[in-house]
């Protein structure tokens, strides 16, 4: 387990981020001055009721969406100060994103899906590097399979390999176990934990599952677009207890 006390600079830091979406009745606020850091070399879980702004928070943190106000720092890079072109480059080279529905390209093999970020970066794709990413998720023997020939859990492992191959500073995962059975979900959590402990990466993940959140170093609780609590070194029981408090 990573030591949160060792952490100096968060991998990503949001400072007073607000975001609303337009509607016929005027803008609907989704995030209210959210300030939160995702510590380097740690696994942070974000929890909260449906509609509380978790996905919006992750998208702002990952540069997939721009806040209305406030700042997002990736290391010491101010994402608000980046042009669209710079932001695309930052997303490509420094950030990984894992989706609930895997988002693999169905016509490509596992190998080709994992090689894609390297292709997009330009330059030659080193086969050994792609195979190493597949090996890290235990699927080097399935390199030639297409997504439809893999289980849900295996597809999510390919998606994780696809983020790891580019050696991002931080991997964001939005309900990565949300579409999986319990056993596959546990494998994905063990893999994300390994990504932090063995590969030395930083992971920020949204989950509804207290057992998954208990794999994290820190849990941040969101409610109505505000950070309402934090739990370090969580247990499933402590997480479930916190959730029951906000749900009252
Ligand atoms: P969560 O991931 O916690 O379920 P979201 O961040 O997806 O929450 O959504 C928070 C709120 O913002 C919800 O009320 C949702 O309907 C609204 N919302 C999210 N994305 C959009 C969008 N693109 N346009 C309009 N409203 C949106
Ligand atoms: Mg969501």
């Amino acid at each position: 387990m990573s030591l949160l006390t060792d952490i100096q600079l968060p991998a990503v830091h949001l400072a007073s981020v607000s975001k609303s979406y337009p509607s016929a009745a005027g803008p609907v606020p989704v995030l209210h001055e959210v300030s939160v850091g995702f510590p380097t070399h740690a696994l942070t879980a974000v929890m909260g009721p449906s509609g509380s702004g978790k996905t919006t928070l992750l998208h702002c943190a990952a540069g997939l969406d721009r806040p209305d106000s406030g700042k997002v720092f990736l290391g010491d890079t101010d994402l608000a100060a980046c042009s669209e072109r710079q932001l695309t480059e930052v997303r490509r080279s420094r950030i990984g994103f894992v989706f609930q529905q895997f988002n693999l390209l169905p016509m490509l093999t596992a190998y080709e899906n994992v090689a894609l970020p390297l292709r997009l970066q330009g330059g030659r794709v080193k086969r050994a590097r792609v195979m190493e990413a597949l090996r890290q998720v235990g699927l080097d023997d399935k390199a030639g399979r297409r997504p439809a020939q893999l289980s849900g859990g295996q597809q999510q492992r390919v998606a994780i390999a696809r983020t790891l191959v580019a050696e991002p500073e931080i991997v964001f995962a939005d309900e990565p176990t949300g579409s999986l059975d319990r056993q596959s979900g546990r494998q994905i959590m063990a893999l994300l934990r390994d990504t932090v402990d063995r590969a030395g990466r930083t992971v920020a993940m949204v989950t509804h599952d207290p057992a998954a959140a208990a794999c994290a170093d820190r849990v941040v609780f969101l409610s109505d677009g505000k950070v309402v609590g934090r739990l370090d070194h969580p247990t499933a029981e402590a997480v479930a207890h916190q959730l029951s408090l906000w749900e009252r």
Side-chain angles (χ1 to χ4, degrees):
M1 177 97 27
S2 318
L3 288 176
L4 293 169
T5 47
D6 282 352
I7 291 148
Q8 309 295 327
L9 187 71
V12 168
H13 182 239
L14 284 77
S16 209
V17 164
S18 295
K19 173 89 187 166
S20 51
Y21 288 110
S23 82
V28 180
V30 175
L31 296 177
H32 302 266
E33 303 194 342
V34 170
S35 294
V36 67
F38 296 113
T40 308
H41 304 316
L43 173 53
T44 304
V46 178
M47 301 190 88
S50 189
S52 59
K54 304 180 297 296
T55 294
T56 305
L57 174 74
L58 233 56
H59 284 193
C60 287
L64 294 171
D65 208 345
R66 285 187 190 266
D68 299 338
S69 62
K71 286 195 176 289
V72 179
F73 291 95
L74 170 64
D76 52 16
T77 306
D78 177 356
L79 296 189
C82 291
S83 66
E84 281 310 313
R85 179 189 284 246
Q86 286 169 328
L87 205 53
T88 302
E89 180 51 31
V90 162
R91 282 197 305 260
R92 230 174 237 175
S93 58
R94 299 176 61 186
I95 290 172
F97 210 101
V98 174
F99 301 88
Q100 180 174 347
Q101 298 302 339
F102 327 133
N103 289 15
L104 299 176
L105 293 180
M107 300 307 288
L108 301 185
T109 64
Y111 178 92
E112 289 163 344
N113 268 285
V114 173
L116 203 55
L118 300 179
R119 260 185 225 299
L120 291 174
Q121 281 175 12
R124 244 172 56 81
V125 174
K126 288 212 176 76
R127 184 176 172 80
R129 196 163 153 197
V130 177
M131 289 309 292
E132 171 57 22
L134 279 166
R135 196 197 55 74
Q136 277 178 35
V137 303
L139 290 176
D140 41 337
D141 61 336
K142 307 268 190 297
R145 298 228 189 149
R146 289 183 210 286
Q149 299 168 316
L150 297 168
S151 70
Q154 289 170 337
Q155 289 182 58
Q156 193 60 299
R157 281 151 65 192
V158 173
I160 291 171
R162 181 178 57 181
T163 68
L164 296 181
V165 77
E167 304 190 344
E169 286 164 47
I170 182 164
V171 173
F172 293 98
D174 196 355
E175 304 196 37
T177 64
S179 304
L180 302 176
D181 60 75
R182 190 179 287 260
Q183 162 101 20
S184 305
R186 271 202 293 263
Q187 279 182 2
I188 294 299
M189 283 318 304
L191 189 55
L192 292 176
R193 191 64 252 175
D194 249 25
T195 302
V196 172
D197 294 341
R198 288 209 236 166
R201 308 236 158 254
T202 300
V203 178
M205 153 193 93
V206 170
T207 184
H208 283 292
D209 178 8
C215 298
D217 298 296
R218 169 176 291 174
V219 185
V220 173
F221 296 92
L222 211 61
S223 178
D224 284 335
K226 295 194 182 98
V227 174
V228 292
R230 200 178 98 178
L231 199 60
D232 284 350
H233 308 304
T235 62
E237 292 72 27
V239 169
H241 177 67
Q242 285 288 323
L243 288 176
S244 72
L245 297 180
W246 315 129
E247 275 160 13
R248 252 186 230 155

